[in-house]
Amino acid sequence: MNLDICRMAHSLYEWLWHHEFWLPPGITWEDMQESEDVHYPQPRDLLLSIPFALILVVIRRVFERTIALPLSSKLGVKDKQRPKAQPNPVLETFYTTRCKSPGEGELLCLAKQCDLPLRKVERWFRRRRNTDRPSLSKKFCEACWRFTFYISSFITGLAVLYDKPWLWDHRECWTGYPQQPLQSSLFWYYLLELSFYWSLVFTLPFDVKRKDFKEQIVHHAATIFLISFSYCANYIRIGTLVLIIHDASDCFLEPTKIFNYMKWKKTCDSLFMIFSAVFLISRLVVFPYTVLYNTYYYSMEIFQPFFGYYFVNALLIILQLLHVFWSCLIIHMVYMFILRGTMEKDMRSDTEESDKDEEKEKIREKEKNGITYFSNVTSNSYIQRNGSEPLNNRTHLTNGHVKER
């Protein structure tokens, strides 16, 4: 039994690492043998990214507690005081197991079960949802960490690539492919980026969740697959271009969030416009030409298409579709910025609810029914200023008109 399992595992291993999947036609793993002076990417190297990712998680935790959190207090980032929902086992069970935003019918059933007014049940769910929402200081700390990494990674990428010929002439990505020796600087740059995206996956359940949460998961998965496969297939040159293009715009996104949390509106608006320009140009112009067109067209001048060619291009297209999705959100925000003169709230962020929303709903319902209530003090003072009779000499009708007594 154990022998059969070992044989199946060995057969699967041999099939998975068949050279036709990873290398161009006419090239085998024997052609990629290392020597004392020449080193090629080895798939086993990627295993180092897991412990490095855990180290980044620890560094992030220490950074947020010792640097980002005290910095948020000094810069005036304050968390809102949120009223807590009263303990209620029935509602809590429904909230954790069924739904966080029940419909009207479910609210009525819950109100009957708990023997509570409908408004109190609605208020309980609203306050309970607010409890689960991340605080402003948590958002600030997360943005500080990501900004620190992205700016460090971008500077590292520039330092590693500035003297590389493929940064300036993209056809150089394919010169001598796939027998392109691995330089130590490229190895550590790749390992740094892959470890960071693994760390984002590990902290995904604890990070701030936005409305594009599913798209973020797809993005992280596609990025990890792309980095890993490009390393194994020695697509490192094209991979480095993908990494530095992405870091270029992310360097402006995170400080935009930071100044938004600090309520520095003018600085936030200025950085948002810079970020929008860099993002749209880098993701919709530079990325398609430098990367997509390069891998799809120029690479075929060197070798015939194979599985790795199609797989890498598929992952790059997934990234580009995500770029288009986020570009639509950014363009909409830029449009609203031009109309209003200030940046609109991040469309990906979840809006915090307050008890005032309930009062606004009541007012809207009354306006729909044509009923308007005024306090006696306000009404009398308003009418007296306009030279009219006191309000208590009139009788209210439900259609909004008044009748003399």
Side-chain angles (χ1 to χ4, degrees):
M1 182 68 177
N2 292 334
L3 184 60
D4 292 337
I5 294 176
C6 291
R7 287 176 178 173
M8 290 178 60
H10 180 72
S11 299
L12 179 62
Y13 179 85
E14 292 290 334
W15 173 83
L16 178 64
W17 293 106
H18 197 275
H19 63 85
E20 291 183 354
F21 293 151
W22 302 88
L23 301 173
I27 304 293
T28 64
W29 291 116
E30 284 74 18
D31 299 319
M32 304 292 293
Q33 292 296 323
E34 294 184 318
S35 64
E36 292 183 1
D37 300 326
V38 177
H39 298 280
Y40 294 112
Q42 300 296 323
R44 62 177 178 270
D45 298 340
L46 298 177
L47 296 176
L48 290 173
S49 64
I50 303 301
F52 272 82
L54 297 176
I55 292 173
L56 282 178
V57 172
V58 174
I59 294 174
R60 172 184 173 176
R61 187 71 173 174
V62 174
F63 173 86
E64 290 183 350
R65 285 199 170 192
T66 60
I67 298 177
L69 191 59
L71 184 63
S72 67
S73 301
K74 291 183 179 180
L75 294 176
V77 178
K78 297 180 180 179
D79 296 330
K80 292 183 179 180
Q81 295 296 325
R82 297 169 175 170
K84 295 183 179 180
Q86 295 296 322
N88 190 305
V90 175
L91 298 181
E92 183 66 30
T93 302
F94 185 92
Y95 181 86
T96 54
T97 60
R98 294 279 301 278
C99 178
K100 295 183 178 182
S101 300
E104 186 175 353
E106 293 172 320
L107 288 171
L108 289 172
C109 293
L110 290 170
K112 291 180 181 178
Q113 291 180 31
C114 301
D115 194 23
L116 292 173
L118 179 62
R119 293 294 181 186
K120 286 191 175 182
V121 176
E122 290 177 339
R123 185 183 297 115
W124 189 94
F125 276 97
R126 183 164 52 250
R127 291 181 175 179
R128 185 64 180 82
R129 286 193 295 268
N130 285 338
T131 303
D132 286 348
R133 288 189 173 91
S135 62
L136 200 61
S137 59
K138 181 179 180 179
K139 293 180 180 180
F140 180 88
C141 292
E142 180 180 309
C144 284
W145 164 249
R146 295 197 180 196
F147 170 68
T148 302
F149 178 84
Y150 287 136
I151 194 66
S152 302
S153 176
F154 183 64
I155 293 173
T156 301
L158 290 177
V160 169
L161 296 177
Y162 83 96
D163 60 343
K164 303 298 185 292
W166 63 86
L167 180 63
W168 314 105
D169 183 4
H170 309 317
R171 288 174 181 262
E172 289 292 326
C173 289
W174 312 111
T175 301
Y177 179 83
Q179 294 168 312
Q180 297 170 338
L182 175 64
Q183 301 177 23
S184 59
S185 59
L186 296 178
F187 167 75
W188 288 110
Y189 179 49
Y190 240 64
L191 185 63
L192 174 67
E193 292 280 0
L194 181 59
S195 301
F196 175 71
Y197 281 102
W198 271 122
S199 73
L200 291 182
V201 172
F202 295 156
T203 59
L204 208 56
F206 315 104
D207 286 344
V208 177
K209 293 182 177 60
R210 293 183 168 86
K211 294 179 181 179
D212 62 345
F213 180 72
K214 295 180 180 179
E215 289 80 7
Q216 287 285 354
I217 295 177
V218 174
H219 175 268
H220 295 342
T223 303
I224 290 173
F225 273 114
L226 183 60
I227 294 176
S228 302
F229 187 87
S230 64
Y231 185 85
C232 295
N234 207 9
Y235 274 102
I236 289 182
R237 294 187 179 184
I238 200 70
T240 54
L241 296 180
V242 174
L243 294 174
I244 200 167
I245 288 172
H246 279 72
D247 288 341
S249 59
D250 292 335
C251 290
F252 293 98
L253 173 61
E254 301 306 327
T256 302
K257 295 179 184 178
I258 291 172
F259 284 108
N260 183 43
Y261 302 145
M262 292 167 54
K263 309 299 182 184
W264 290 24
K265 294 299 295 180
K266 291 184 178 180
T267 307
C268 175
D269 293 344
S270 301
L271 282 173
F272 171 72
M273 296 305 294
I274 296 173
F275 159 73
S276 301
V278 174
F279 185 94
L280 295 175
I281 293 172
S282 63
R283 306 293 178 93
L284 299 184
V285 180
V286 177
F287 184 85
Y289 174 73
T290 304
V291 177
L292 288 179
Y293 187 74
N294 196 4
T295 55
Y296 178 78
Y297 180 75
Y298 287 151
S299 62
M300 294 180 64
E301 297 179 354
I302 308 299
F303 54 81
Q304 294 297 317
F306 63 107
F307 174 80
Y309 166 84
Y310 294 112
F311 188 71
V312 166
N313 277 284
L315 292 174
L316 292 173
I317 289 173
I318 291 174
L319 282 182
Q320 184 59 26
L321 291 176
L322 291 171
H323 296 165
V324 173
F325 169 77
W326 284 314
S327 296
C328 292
L329 297 181
I330 292 172
I331 291 171
H332 179 268
M333 294 178 70
V334 170
Y335 174 73
M336 298 306 296
F337 176 84
I338 294 173
L339 289 182
R340 299 180 180 179
T342 185
M343 190 185 77
E344 190 185 34
K345 187 181 182 295
D346 189 350
M347 295 175 64
R348 303 175 306 150
S349 299
D350 204 4
T351 305
E352 184 166 334
E353 302 166 286
S354 65
D355 292 337
K356 294 180 180 179
D357 296 338
E358 182 180 340
E359 298 177 4
K360 292 179 181 177
E361 289 176 5
K362 288 181 181 179
I363 294 173
R364 281 197 294 268
E365 290 176 3
K366 293 174 182 178
E367 289 176 348
K368 286 180 182 178
N369 296 327
I371 304 175
T372 307
Y373 291 94
F374 299 92
S375 64
N376 289 334
V377 176
T378 306
S379 301
N380 288 333
S381 61
Y382 174 80
I383 294 172
Q384 287 173 5
R385 284 199 304 270
N386 289 273
S388 304
E389 296 181 19
L391 187 63
N392 52 15
N393 288 334
R394 302 183 177 188
T395 304
H396 286 269
L397 298 181
T398 58
N399 59 4
H401 296 281
V402 293
K403 179 179 178 181
E404 298 291 342
R405 286 183 178 175

